[in-house]
């Protein structure tokens, strides 16, 4: 089954914890054992999994991604002016796969699933596909 999660980001760079919505989708699917694919079909957004307990971890990740891939660079060629957002999205990646075990996401204790948008604010969608193990 497939579900679409809609996320409205509020800042130029936003990182949103979408774990509750993904977990709800898994529960609604009724799948007990399988795979959950989380995919964002947007070129300035990405999905990653990391610590959700201490919000400073996401702050530090965001800080360092922005530092490593600066917004302006004299050699960027993309005319829209948002090359940094495309590069950040490309490096982090637009999908993740989480095993479904006993009807739930098998995330670690401190893990959460995040949508990041680097050229917001924007309305974004996340495609969640839940596959049942044969
Ligand atoms: Zn662009």
């Amino acid at each position: 089954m497939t579900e679409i999660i809609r996320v409205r980001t509020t800042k130029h760079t936003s990182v949103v914890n979408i774990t509750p919505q993904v977990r709800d989708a898994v529960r609604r699917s009724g799948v007990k054992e399988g795979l959950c694919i989380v995919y964002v079909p947007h070129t300035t957004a990405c999905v990653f999994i990391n610590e959700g307990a201490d919000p400073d971890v996401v702050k530090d990740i965001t800080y360092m991604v922005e530092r490593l891939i600066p917004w302006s660079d004299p050699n960027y060629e993309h005319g829209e002016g948002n090359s940094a957002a495309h590069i950040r999205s490309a490096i982090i990646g637009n999908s993740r796969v989480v095993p479904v075990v006993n009807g739930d996401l098998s995330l670690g204790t401190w893990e959460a699933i995040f949508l990041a948008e680097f050229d917001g604010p924007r309305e974004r969608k996340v495609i969640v596909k839940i596959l049942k193990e044969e």
Side-chain angles (χ1 to χ4, degrees), residues 67-134:
R67 184 170 156 183
L68 291 170
I69 305 152
W71 188 256
S72 298
D73 186 289
N75 293 315
Y76 287 160
E77 296 193 13
H78 176 50
E80 198 184 8
N82 62 351
S83 285
H86 291 293
I87 296 164
R88 293 167 185 169
S89 164
I91 287 174
I92 296 170
N94 61 357
S95 70
R96 288 294 188 271
V97 177
V98 183
V100 174
V101 177
N102 292 324
D104 195 9
L105 296 167
S106 59
L107 293 171
T109 305
W110 309 111
E111 285 186 317
I113 305 169
F114 295 97
L115 164 80
E117 166 62 55
F118 294 108
D119 192 21
R122 291 176 191 263
E123 177 86 33
R124 288 320 203 184
K125 68 177 180 183
V126 181
I127 300 169
V128 179
K129 185 108 187 159
I130 298 137
L131 303 174
K132 187 179 176 184
E133 193 176 312
E134 291 300 319

